Amino acid sequence: RDFNQSGIWHLSSNQGRFTNLDISYTRHRGIWLTSSDNMLLENNHIFNISHAAILLENADNALVRLNLIEDIYLLKNFSPIPGSVSNGIFASFHSKSPTIELNTLRNLGFNGIYGSGTQNFVIDRNFIENTMLSLQDGGAIYAHNRIGDGSKGTITNNIIIGFPNFSNPNWDANGIYNDDDAHDIIVSNNSIFGNRRGIFSHNNIRNTYSGNRIYKPNNEAILIKNDQLGQEVKLNTLINNRVYMEDSKNMALKINNNIDGRFDFGTFDRNKYYNSSSTESVYLRTQSVQVNQTLDQWTQTSGQDSNSTEDNFPIKDSYFAYNKNNTSTSLVLPQGNNRCCSSTKGIN
């Protein structure tokens, strides 16, 4: 602790292990792997780091699991480093096939887990709470591809809890954010509570979003954006997702498309959109149109979501129940006039 650079910098050596360490109050990183393949980072407690807790740089086949990462990129007494490297776990574009699983991350100034063009990544069963506390325009899990031919991986079974008290209600904090040409990513069975939005798909192709549960975001639950600043959005799949909302101003699905009349983004179907305060589920914006629509109107306009459902049945109370531990447990919900469409698939 109390070191001016990194807690551990491991350079050009393979098949090492860093386990059961406490690392805190370093200026740059907690653990930094450079040109080091087949490494294990397990059961470490990394906290109060000025910038990144774990940085993988040209480090293939890393296994990062069961680490507790807290209070990252919140220290103000060090000279700033660009936010792009100031994350809980940062897998850079030269790192192939990392597995990031069963970690707990909380109270982070920028992204929780950040894949920058990383190929064949696995991000599974992590618990992430309170991100974007210093910078916006990111996510608890953030992937992008602009700097290389990376991307391709899975984001599955994660639990994400958004910080509830941003002074700016439009602070751009996302649950899962695939940005800047991210492609070939499977986003499945994640449970997301709060944030400005649950899922943001920005200029993506061949991504699959399925089985996700999104509960009470501060704006729209899912944003599909095609702004012609990257590749054209196409060949994406959005199926079997469940959205729970309680605010008439917030839409379950937002389509922001700079091209009029084009809705062939892929296949949207069998989703469940619930909002107890609104009969409208979709906000549609193109160059010439800006309108809220019911699900039926959206289907007639776009040909999408023909087997999806929307529901505005009033309820008394709602609960987001989750298991943030790495052991199985039973969750007991209160009885009454409740509908539970956002209970999580806890970390097992």
Side-chain angles (χ1 to χ4, degrees):
R1 59 166 294 166
D2 300 322
F3 189 65
N4 193 44
Q5 296 296 325
S6 299
I8 293 173
W9 183 20
H10 191 72
L11 176 63
S12 300
S13 180
N14 298 331
Q15 298 182 330
R17 301 165 60 94
F18 294 109
T19 63
N20 303 307
L21 301 174
D22 284 341
I23 303 174
S24 62
Y25 293 99
T26 65
R27 180 183 178 190
H28 285 181
R29 293 116 192 168
I31 299 176
W32 181 11
L33 304 183
T34 304
S35 301
S36 300
D37 298 339
N38 303 303
M39 299 291 294
L40 171 66
L41 308 181
E42 183 176 51
N43 201 37
N44 300 293
H45 186 196
I46 306 174
F47 59 102
N48 284 317
I49 305 298
S50 185
H51 298 289
I54 295 174
L55 172 59
L56 309 177
E57 185 177 16
N58 195 25
D60 296 346
N61 304 309
L63 176 56
V64 182
R65 66 189 312 269
L66 293 170
N67 299 284
L68 174 58
I69 295 173
E70 304 176 285
D71 303 318
I72 305 301
Y73 195 46
L74 301 177
L75 300 177
K76 305 301 183 183
N77 58 328
F78 292 118
S79 59
I81 284 178
S84 61
V85 298
S86 302
N87 308 278
I89 300 172
F90 180 22
S92 77
F93 66 100
H94 290 300
S95 297
K96 298 178 181 178
S97 304
T99 296
I100 301 169
E101 64 179 16
L102 295 166
N103 301 284
T104 296
L105 302 94
R106 61 169 65 98
N107 301 330
L108 303 146
F110 197 32
N111 303 298
I113 299 172
Y114 178 11
S116 177
T118 306
Q119 298 183 43
N120 301 315
F121 60 82
V122 174
I123 300 173
D124 183 52
R125 292 173 293 163
N126 299 282
F127 178 81
I128 308 172
E129 183 176 21
N130 297 340
T131 61
M132 318 303 301
L133 301 182
S134 299
L135 294 176
Q136 60 176 326
D137 192 23
I141 300 175
Y142 178 89
H144 84 100
N145 183 45
R146 178 148 293 179
I147 58 177
D149 188 26
S151 202
K152 190 176 183 181
T154 59
I155 301 171
T156 55
N157 304 310
N158 300 283
I159 299 171
I160 296 170
I161 310 295
F163 182 68
N165 296 315
F166 287 117
S167 58
N168 179 359
N170 294 318
W171 190 257
D172 196 13
N174 301 275
I176 297 173
Y177 186 176
N178 287 331
D179 193 14
D180 288 342
D181 303 340
H183 59 82
D184 297 290
I185 300 174
I186 295 172
V187 179
S188 180
N189 296 323
N190 301 283
S191 296
I192 305 168
F193 178 25
N195 296 287
R196 185 182 184 192
R197 59 184 66 88
I199 292 175
F200 186 3
S201 175
H202 183 211
N203 297 331
N204 298 162
I205 63 170
R206 295 190 302 273
N207 288 348
T208 296
Y209 302 90
S210 68
N212 300 290
R213 294 174 170 87
I214 303 172
Y215 183 81
K216 294 176 69 172
N218 298 326
N219 206 305
E220 65 274 356
I222 301 170
L223 170 59
I224 309 296
K225 189 171 185 178
N226 181 48
D227 57 14
Q228 297 180 286
L229 297 179
Q231 59 195 358
E232 291 296 322
V233 175
K234 60 184 178 182
L235 303 176
N236 296 291
T237 301
L238 186 78
I239 59 171
N240 290 322
N241 300 285
R242 295 187 177 190
V243 171
Y244 179 92
M245 318 279 282
E246 290 183 349
D247 192 324
S248 61
K249 301 187 299 295
N250 299 338
M251 296 292 104
L253 177 63
K254 181 177 180 179
I255 304 296
N256 193 335
N257 183 15
N258 275 6
I259 302 176
D260 282 333
R262 179 177 172 249
F263 304 104
D264 55 340
F265 301 145
T267 301
F268 298 8
D269 209 8
R270 301 194 300 279
N271 300 295
K272 295 183 178 180
Y273 305 129
Y274 177 87
N275 191 335
S276 60
S277 299
S278 178
T279 59
E280 297 169 325
S281 296
V282 180
Y283 171 84
L284 174 62
R285 181 179 183 274
T286 69
Q287 286 187 329
S288 59
V289 175
Q290 185 172 326
V291 64
N292 292 340
Q293 294 186 322
T294 66
L295 181 60
D296 285 344
Q297 290 170 334
W298 161 243
T299 298
Q300 292 171 8
T301 299
S302 67
Q304 301 284 4
D305 275 314
S306 59
N307 294 300
S308 297
T309 60
E310 64 182 0
D311 186 355
N312 66 338
F313 182 85
I315 63 172
K316 181 179 179 181
D317 296 299
S318 64
Y319 304 92
F320 183 86
Y322 59 90
N323 171 26
K324 63 182 179 181
N325 301 310
N326 58 5
T327 56
S328 298
T329 190
S330 297
L331 301 175
V332 179
L333 297 177
Q335 299 296 312
N337 183 21
N338 305 308
R339 288 193 175 189
C340 178
C341 62
S342 288
S343 61
T344 74
K345 178 177 181 169
I347 299 176
N348 296 317

